[in-house]
Amino acid sequence: MRVRILRQESPDSSPYWQEFTYECSADQTVAGMLEEMNSLDDLKDAEGKKVPHIIWECSCLQGMCGACAMVINGQPALACETFIRNIKGDLITLEPLRKFPTIKDLAVDRSIIQEKLLQENAYIEEYKGSDSKEYDHQYLAGKCLKCGLCLEICPNYKGSRRFYGAAFANDCYLIETRSDVHKKDIKKSYDDHFAAGCSKSLACVDVCPMKIPTLASMAKMNRIK
Amino acid sequence: MKNVLIIGSGISGLSCAISCAELGMKATILSPYVSERAQSVLAAGGINAVLDHSEDSIESHIEDTLKGGAYIAGTESVKGLCTNAPDVVRWLERLGTVFTRENGEISRRAFGGQSHNRTCYCGAATGKQIVTALTMEARRFEGKGLIRRMIRCDFYSALIKDGRCYGAVVFNENTGKMELIRADALVIAAGGQNALFGKTTGSQLCDGYAAGRLFMQGVDLKNLEFIQYHPTTIKTVHKKMLVSEAARGEGGRLYYLDGDRRVYFMEDKFGPGGNLMPRDIVSKCIYETHKQVYLDVTFLGKETILKKIPEIYELCQKYYGIDISQESIPVDPSVHFFMGGIAVRNNHETNIKDLYAVGECASIYHGANRLGGNSLLAAAYSGRVAAASIAKSAEEKTASDDEFKDELKAAQDVLTNNGGTKDRLTVKYVRDMLAQIMNRELGIVRCEEELKKGIEDIEYYIGVADETVPDDAELPYYTYSLKAILVLAKAVLICAQERRESRGAHLRSDHPETDDGFKAPTIISYDDGRFTVTYDREGRYES
Ligand SMILES: Cc1cc2nc3c(=O)[nH]c(=O)nc-3n(C[C@H](O)[C@H](O)[C@H](O)COP(=O)(O)OP(=O)(O)OC[C@H]3O[C@@H](n4cnc5c(N)ncnc54)[C@H](O)[C@@H]3O)c2cc1C
């Protein structure tokens, strides 16, 4: 199997493609494959040249922490949830998420997600009491990994200048329905930084590893006067 | 205003930071990644608290916890944990945690070793929902300037002078440099010791380095031999994954096959509640079958499975290719939780003044075996206890950076140190060997000879640790953390060797009986390469 990886030594250096030939079990995930490759003392590219180990982020290895989000064969996905058996053909390409600055190889700096939430005071402060009708939706919104896949795939998201994407919209929903304290402010932030820029491609819904119903979050937020 | 530095941003670190801010102190919380990546998000099953006194009681929670821990946890600390559990859960609820509810109250399920249903839960994502709520609350205080979050930073060492802690040296990945962060108190919230065993059910980010490094700096460690093997995990190609106790809480049954006949060995031995015995007992019983054990939930039916334990359904389908509404799950015990860690008193302070440890890296409530649902509780509770103690007793310090320039210089030298002579081993290789040794010698059942061999093997790697070849791509942390992790591993093996009895999660084939002579926590200390084990019979840490 051919594995092509877009590598980059540091935030300021230029990216370059490197190809490997690597065989691993069809039941392996892309994350597991990267671990296997990195466990080799001498990692060699397809031409037999020794190359540095591949830097990528990982923590849970089972789709629950969002660390290993990357672009796999052109599709944003979690590496630990992408199985080799589902790769079509014999080529795997791996790129870092392109909408975030690269730190090194496949590791990117996603701190902008947190910065925008901080800037917009995205917090509950005091829970106003439960609403059983909203439970399922809140539960799913509360599972957001802040992995960045929804931003990577979104045609409107261009590095957070004004439009902050689905991760932001779902947190707005969670805050709006669980807090009375700054309902108004969060609705305004939502209008300015989500509703005004979303063209409803809904690519974010399909790509979300937690299956968060962003469309329902939008419907709820848009209904608020 | 007092300044508190917190290492680690899982539930215990977040809880501590928020509590510090609530008490009018400034907290800096530092970790390599954001909280969403911490192991705490993996916790599925729930958090224990007695919310309904009609059948259950705090006394019963206390007794279950002490009994589950084979009576070597301190009664006072466990009392504090269980008595405050309802307040902790209410606090988490007030901050917006999305708890599952029934009839207007937080839902509770059965968990192992408990006499009543008292495990409060958020679907099958309790840890994640708590992290979401705590992260939002931390953000509120961040906006007010009371919490500062530092990402891409790793602990290097504590600043300790004359038995008092003044902050830490940390490696800042953003600048590539070691930095001094002075603080009026330092709180370690760095999680468990997973890296000792390579792959566990938990996160790669928990490596035990902080505990190992502090041990080398004179901090006592405790109960290291008690390592929880979770009875029901599945082995996939790339990880051991937990099948939550919730599966058995909902009625799941364990069996093995004798020919075609199913032997429900836990029920045969302990009656109808056998499948929900504490984890140490279930893992031991599985081990003793010497057979493949299965967990059956098929009789619940697909609808109930999808309603009650959907994440388990999805996990087994995705990573194991089986439909658990049709087939039983082949399960094996795997390393899951560390009862041992940094020794702390009831206020979570270590033997060094103003140095605290909270969450899984601290050893206090679980004795020889932890009950499911008690560690999320301990993580949230301990952060609050430490903050309250710091507010009360830590002094604002006037020391200057200059006083610690030697420590900083020594840390910086580590970054440029390229090891010694040629023919050296790589850091990766030594880490792999460490995991092999620990898995071999510290299985569910241990014996003197194997432990001795393990200690000798680890000693060899400690001897060459300073000479290893740094990885060409990994961060310096990966290399500089190696030696302390090896030292910690040796301490674990020594504690296991010294406890010549079987108790809780520590089983010895050569000492199969429980011996009351050992009915006390193990304390291990380090002095210039010498390891000393004592048993805290006088309750030094129980005050
Ligand atoms: C699969 C699984 C399921 C579980 N289910 C349950 C459950 O249902 N109920 C329950 O009670 N318990 C459960 N547990 C246990 C529970 O999740 C943990 O004990 C608890 O979350 C620990 O929280 P913590 O804050 O101490 O550590 P963690 O959440 O592990 O956080 C540690 C933090 O420290 C940081 N860190 C580590 N090393 C360094 C360093 N050198 N420098 C800087 N930062 C560092 C990490 O990046 C992280 O931010 C489960 C555990 C697992 C693995």
Side-chain angles (χ1 to χ4, degrees):
Chain A
M1 179 166 256
R2 290 157 60 215
V3 184
R4 290 192 82 211
I5 302 180
L6 189 64
R7 307 199 60 171
Q8 187 170 328
E9 261 159 47
S10 67
D12 308 322
S13 60
S14 307
Y16 60 96
W17 286 100
Q18 193 164 68
E19 190 162 318
F20 300 86
T21 310
Y22 192 76
E23 297 307 325
C24 69
S25 150
D27 289 331
Q28 188 54 283
T29 61
V30 168
M33 178 190 79
L34 283 169
E35 279 202 315
E36 282 183 18
M37 290 170 73
N38 275 348
S39 72
L40 302 170
D41 268 351
D42 287 333
L43 176 65
K44 291 186 176 149
D45 69 6
E47 273 136 38
K49 196 168 100 229
K50 184 170 182 284
V51 298
H53 288 120
I54 304 144
I55 295 300
W56 61 295
E57 293 187 5
C58 84
S59 168
C60 80
L61 287 172
Q62 58 180 97
M64 292 169 83
C65 81
C68 65
M70 57 182 73
V71 181
I72 302 169
N73 281 2
Q75 283 301 315
L78 296 183
C80 68
E81 289 198 321
T82 307
F83 290 87
I84 302 298
R85 61 173 176 267
N86 296 334
I87 302 277
K88 295 198 178 72
D90 75 338
L91 173 69
I92 304 180
T93 63
L94 303 180
E95 298 165 76
L97 298 178
R98 307 307 294 151
K99 294 202 180 156
F100 301 90
T102 301
I103 295 168
K104 193 167 181 175
D105 294 344
L106 302 169
V108 295
D109 179 359
R110 288 170 273 192
S111 46
I112 194 153
I113 301 177
Q114 312 284 342
E115 282 163 21
K116 296 299 169 192
L117 290 165
L118 175 61
Q119 178 195 301
E120 297 304 313
N121 296 324
Y123 49 78
I124 286 173
E125 191 152 358
E126 186 129 342
Y127 161 64
K128 70 172 184 188
S130 70
D131 173 355
S132 57
K133 287 194 303 299
E134 296 296 326
Y135 171 78
D136 288 344
H137 188 174
Q138 288 174 347
Y139 176 72
L140 288 169
K143 284 173 79 177
C144 175
L145 303 177
K146 306 290 183 292
C147 62
L149 290 177
C150 57
L151 307 179
E152 178 73 14
I153 206 159
C154 174
N156 306 115
Y157 182 82
K158 305 211 164 59
S160 238
R161 262 187 294 279
R162 189 170 172 93
F163 175 73
Y164 302 165
F168 181 70
N170 287 310
D171 268 20
C172 290
Y173 160 79
L174 197 57
I175 293 160
E176 208 285 330
T177 56
R178 289 182 85 71
S179 161
D180 277 335
V181 182
H182 49 179
K183 253 175 136 65
K184 261 207 197 108
D185 298 343
I186 211 72
K187 164 69 175 157
K188 181 161 181 341
S189 294
Y190 169 85
D191 287 346
D192 292 349
H193 298 297
F194 186 80
C198 170
S199 64
K200 300 204 175 58
S201 85
L202 300 185
C204 54
V205 177
D206 295 333
V207 83
C208 177
M210 294 288 114
K211 304 191 182 74
I212 301 174
T214 303
L215 190 58
S217 302
M218 288 159 61
K220 179 86 190 172
M221 291 303 291
N222 289 341
R223 268 203 305 275
I224 300 165
K225 292 281 169 295
Chain B
M1 193 180 262
K2 285 181 197 173
N3 269 304
V4 182
L5 174 61
I6 300 165
I7 308 294
S9 66
I11 288 176
S12 63
L14 284 169
S15 156
C16 188
I18 293 165
S19 305
C20 285
E22 285 173 352
L23 294 167
M25 298 184 282
K26 263 192 176 168
T28 297
I29 179 164
L30 152 172
S31 52
Y33 295 125
V34 290
S35 299
E36 283 83 354
R37 319 280 179 253
Q39 172 166 303
S40 287
V41 302
L42 296 184
I47 174 167
N48 295 339
V50 176
L51 299 183
D52 171 9
H53 292 261
S54 59
E55 285 179 10
D56 200 358
S57 68
I58 304 273
E59 289 68 37
S60 163
H61 188 185
I62 295 168
E63 175 53 23
D64 288 348
T65 303
L66 290 170
K67 184 176 170 204
Y71 295 106
I72 59 161
T75 313
E76 285 308 309
S77 60
V78 171
K79 258 190 201 163
L81 177 79
C82 302
T83 310
N84 285 288
D87 284 350
V88 169
V89 168
R90 296 294 179 211
W91 178 66
L92 295 172
E93 185 185 26
R94 261 199 325 279
L95 300 185
T97 305
V98 183
F99 280 105
T100 304
R101 307 179 74 89
E102 258 164 309
N103 307 323
E105 180 54 294
I106 295 175
S107 305
R108 276 145 286 157
R109 57 166 52 119
F111 246 34
Q114 300 192 42
S115 40
H116 295 89
N117 291 9
R118 67 169 76 98
T119 305
C120 307
Y121 62 95
C122 312
T126 311
K128 174 63 188 169
Q129 298 291 349
I130 294 175
V131 168
T132 299
L134 292 178
T135 306
M136 282 198 177
E137 183 66 354
R139 186 176 296 134
R140 179 162 84 89
F141 285 114
E142 209 178 351
K144 293 185 170 163
L146 288 176
I147 290 183
R148 176 168 69 130
R149 286 196 256 195
M150 291 176 71
I151 304 302
R152 306 191 64 231
C153 290
D154 312 290
F155 176 69
Y156 174 71
S157 67
L159 297 173
I160 299 174
K161 252 197 183 128
D162 305 326
R164 191 176 271 265
C165 181
Y166 291 83
V169 181
V170 306
F171 176 67
N172 187 334
E173 297 173 21
N174 303 289
T175 59
K177 292 199 174 113
M178 292 287 186
E179 291 175 7
L180 268 185
I181 305 186
R182 284 187 299 103
D184 300 315
L186 173 65
V187 181
I188 307 297
Q193 307 156 17
N194 303 353
L196 297 186
F197 290 84
K199 291 272 170 70
T200 68
T201 58
S203 155
Q204 313 269 90
L205 303 179
C206 300
D207 60 9
Y209 167 70
R213 175 71 203 187
L214 290 169
F215 180 57
M216 295 172 74
Q217 291 190 274
V219 174
D220 287 349
L221 303 183
K222 179 176 160 186
N223 283 349
L224 296 178
E225 64 275 34
F226 298 108
I227 296 162
Q228 181 166 79
Y229 277 77
H230 195 290
T232 59
T233 72
I234 50 172
K235 290 199 170 117
T236 72
V237 194
H238 78 262
K239 199 192 167 184
K240 293 165 181 168
M241 294 184 192
L242 178 76
V243 176
S244 164
E245 204 159 282
R248 282 173 289 134
E250 298 300 339
R253 303 176 72 189
L254 292 166
Y255 70 89
Y256 64 81
L257 287 173
D258 181 11
D260 282 345
R261 191 174 67 92
R262 285 183 175 193
V263 179
Y264 293 98
F265 57 100
M266 290 307 294
E267 293 166 36
D268 292 349
K269 211 164 179 168
F270 300 100
N275 296 299
L276 267 185
M277 293 298 285
R279 293 173 183 174
D280 53 341
I281 297 177
V282 184
S283 286
K284 176 174 178 247
C285 292
I286 293 180
Y287 173 84
E288 284 169 351
T289 65
H290 298 295
K291 289 206 159 73
Q292 177 63 59
V293 165
Y294 299 87
L295 172 61
D296 182 17
V297 291
T298 56
F299 56 88
L300 292 173
K302 194 157 178 171
E303 206 182 310
T304 307
I305 289 174
L306 289 180
K307 186 157 170 264
K308 296 278 191 172
I309 45 171
E311 267 84 348
I312 301 178
Y313 179 84
E314 205 181 304
L315 180 92
C316 292
Q317 184 145 65
K318 194 190 303 173
Y319 289 102
Y320 215 60
I322 63 169
D323 175 351
I324 63 168
S325 68
Q326 303 293 325
E327 284 177 72
S328 300
I329 315 163
V331 289
D332 292 289
S334 300
V335 172
H336 176 61
F337 183 87
F338 297 83
M339 275 69 76
I342 300 168
V344 291
R345 280 190 281 274
N346 293 354
N347 65 353
H348 279 268
E349 197 171 25
T350 65
N351 58 323
I352 304 292
K353 175 98 185 73
D354 299 331
L355 173 55
Y356 289 74
V358 296
E360 190 170 335
C361 71
S363 177
I364 171 164
Y365 305 108
H366 311 302
N369 169 58
R370 168 190 67 113
L371 297 187
N374 265 356
S375 55
L376 283 182
L377 171 62
Y381 172 67
S382 59
R384 291 184 73 65
V385 171
S389 172
I390 294 165
K392 210 165 86 188
S393 71
E395 284 163 22
E396 290 186 40
K397 298 197 174 88
T398 50
S400 70
D401 281 0
D402 219 38
E403 287 181 44
F404 298 100
K405 61 179 192 306
D406 293 346
E407 279 83 351
L408 185 62
K409 166 86 175 49
Q412 267 153 356
D413 289 348
V414 166
L415 296 182
T416 47
N417 179 11
N418 254 332
T421 48
K422 58 180 175 31
D423 294 334
R424 295 166 295 153
L425 303 173
T426 65
V427 177
K428 267 198 166 62
Y429 173 82
V430 178
R431 281 177 174 251
D432 285 349
M433 292 314 293
L434 162 69
Q436 262 186 41
I437 296 165
M438 297 299 271
N439 281 300
R440 197 178 60 215
E441 319 300 12
L442 277 168
I444 296 177
V445 178
R446 299 105 189 234
C447 73
E448 185 82 24
E449 227 168 277
E450 286 173 7
L451 292 164
K452 222 171 120 214
K453 171 88 175 55
I455 293 169
E456 281 165 19
D457 289 351
I458 294 288
E459 273 169 351
Y460 167 75
Y461 291 110
I462 292 175
V464 299
D466 288 335
E467 309 256 301
T468 47
V469 184
D471 192 88
D472 48 13
E474 295 278 6
L475 289 164
Y477 177 77
Y478 191 72
T479 304
Y480 78 63
S481 58
L482 181 67
K483 186 159 182 183
I485 292 175
L486 289 165
V487 169
L488 173 67
K490 180 172 165 188
V492 175
L493 288 159
I494 291 176
C495 290
Q497 184 189 31
E498 291 292 315
R499 186 174 282 277
R500 294 185 176 86
E501 66 153 353
S502 292
R503 180 183 296 274
H506 175 68
L507 302 175
R508 291 276 302 246
S509 57
D510 46 353
H511 299 278
E513 304 301 328
T514 300
D515 172 356
D516 269 353
F518 282 103
K519 195 177 171 187
T522 315
I523 303 290
I524 185 160
S525 42
Y526 181 92
D527 183 13
D528 204 16
R530 240 191 31 245
F531 295 64
T532 310
V533 172
T534 53
Y535 294 93
D536 188 12
R537 294 192 180 87
E538 311 76 43
R540 254 191 310 145
Y541 277 95
E542 311 278 308
S543 55

